[in-house]
Amino acid sequence: MDIHVIDKTFTPFITAATIDARVSEMAAQINADYEGKRPLVIGVLNGSFMFAADLFRKLTIEAEISFIKLASYKGTTSTGNVVTAIGMEENLNGRHVIIVEDIIDTGKTLHAFMPEIHNRQPASVKIATFLSKPDALKYDVKADYCAFEIENKFVLGYGMDYDGLGRNIPELYVLKEN
Ligand code: IMP
Ligand code: MG
């Protein structure tokens, strides 16, 4: 059944059961890759909160979780926007860090933010994203774990919003164009 949010119509795209199965597969992969490494999972708010919670509860290895929010502001450099992390209190030195994102669209956000992570000298950094849109990618960002690669269409639900709404929908919807 289609749903209406503000002025747009969205149609069912990926069911909760399919999401659950893929998140389980990703968790199994991370369990295997990080056994004995006690990774620090860092969820990027707001969009990743649901995916991060689902993924994290399926980890059976020792792991820690923390959340950050990215704030982008106009910097003084010629490159324009600067992205800074709010709430990053953990010492990343020597840690195995897994950044958890809802979606890599153009890649701009993570591209701008990753240097801040690397500057803190973690032992390793990987990116786990729920979605990526390969056709929309404009920056050199690559996910190490990706649940679904999708077409370049606007999606809603499972933590992702349209103008603040729809984050609570437990499955994924896609914008209906007609
Ligand atoms: P990027 O910097 O272009 O990669 O954009 C990443 C951010 O844009 C994501 O973390 C989302 O918050 C938001 N975003 C990108 N595509 C969508 C979408 O289809 N639906 C909802 N939010 C999106
Ligand atoms: Mg986001």
Side-chain angles (χ1 to χ4, degrees):
M1 257 245 292
D2 288 354
I3 54 165
H4 303 278
V5 178
I6 312 175
D7 58 344
K8 301 224 183 305
T9 305
F10 293 85
T11 202
F13 184 32
I14 305 178
T15 66
T18 302
I19 291 171
D20 186 68
R22 270 302 283 150
V23 176
S24 292
E25 284 179 3
M26 193 189 286
Q29 185 78 57
I30 291 172
N31 284 329
D33 293 350
Y34 287 87
E35 173 81 67
K37 289 185 169 171
R38 194 170 169 168
L40 172 61
V41 174
I42 300 180
V44 181
L45 295 173
N46 292 324
S48 81
F49 78 97
M50 202 174 277
F51 171 52
D54 284 351
L55 180 67
F56 194 70
R57 93 181 73 204
K58 291 175 190 290
L59 296 185
T60 51
I61 52 169
E62 275 192 349
E64 295 175 47
I65 191 164
S66 185
F67 290 89
I68 56 165
K69 202 155 179 165
L70 299 183
S72 129
Y73 58 91
K74 285 261 183 268
T76 51
T77 64
S78 56
T79 50
N81 279 8
V82 174
V83 173
T84 187
I86 299 170
M88 200 155 74
E89 274 121 38
E90 275 77 11
N91 182 1
L92 303 189
N93 197 316
R95 298 299 307 269
H96 294 283
V97 172
I98 306 173
I99 304 293
V100 174
E101 258 285 25
D102 51 355
I103 179 163
I104 299 175
D105 184 22
T106 64
K108 186 177 182 180
T109 312
L110 278 185
H111 180 77
F113 166 63
M114 291 310 276
E116 186 166 341
I117 293 284
H118 286 289
N119 282 345
R120 292 169 185 245
Q121 298 179 323
S124 70
V125 187
K126 283 191 182 180
I127 297 169
T129 188
F130 177 61
L131 302 174
S132 71
K133 297 179 183 172
D135 295 340
L137 198 66
K138 290 194 188 120
Y139 294 81
D140 182 24
V141 174
K142 205 182 163 339
D144 300 280
Y145 305 95
C146 174
F148 302 97
E149 287 191 348
I150 62 167
E151 279 180 70
N152 190 7
K153 290 185 177 169
F154 190 81
V155 294
L156 177 81
Y158 199 62
M160 283 158 281
D161 72 306
Y162 168 51
D163 207 10
L165 295 179
R167 294 194 196 273
N168 50 324
I169 299 168
E171 56 263 308
L172 203 67
Y173 281 74
V174 64
L175 181 65
K176 201 170 179 175
E177 284 153 281
N178 44 17

